[in-house]
Amino acid sequence: MAYREITLQVDPADRVAATGVYEKYEQPFLDTVPGATGEELLVREEGVQVSHAFRTVSGAKAYLASALFTRDVVGGPPPPLKAAPEVRLRDAVRTRRVG
């Protein structure tokens, strides 16, 4: 399992616009991105973070070059950012499910 995390620093007044981008592309992400298994939106005091889950690291890397990401998500009108987006890739060495 791999995770692509994208953190956006936005003012509190712009968080609704930032979460709107997530909501607009959540289902297309799950329906069209190869290897995508889920995503979560975290709203924090300093901004928002989207965590995308993938079956493999290669799938997580490929997402950044996909038309959905480059044309739709990033190419659309974003909320004003206070800093450049922070993009991280994490590879889960071990996943354990409880329950």
Side-chain angles (χ1 to χ4, degrees), residues 1-83:
M1 190 70 107
Y3 300 91
R4 170 69 64 196
E5 297 171 349
I6 302 171
T7 303
L8 306 173
Q9 293 183 20
V10 296
D11 284 323
D14 297 317
R15 290 200 190 117
V16 171
T19 58
V21 172
Y22 169 84
E23 290 171 354
K24 181 176 181 178
Y25 294 108
E26 178 182 20
Q27 200 58 52
F29 169 79
L30 295 171
D31 291 343
T32 65
V33 175
T37 62
E39 67 178 346
E40 294 180 330
L41 175 67
L42 307 172
V43 179
R44 307 181 313 195
E45 188 173 314
E46 59 276 1
V48 297
Q49 181 182 57
V50 179
S51 180
H52 302 97
F54 298 87
R55 287 187 187 94
T56 64
V57 170
S58 61
K61 289 179 179 179
Y63 171 59
L64 291 183
S66 72
L68 178 66
F69 184 76
T70 60
R71 182 191 65 220
D72 299 330
V73 175
V74 177
L81 302 179
K82 295 169 64 174

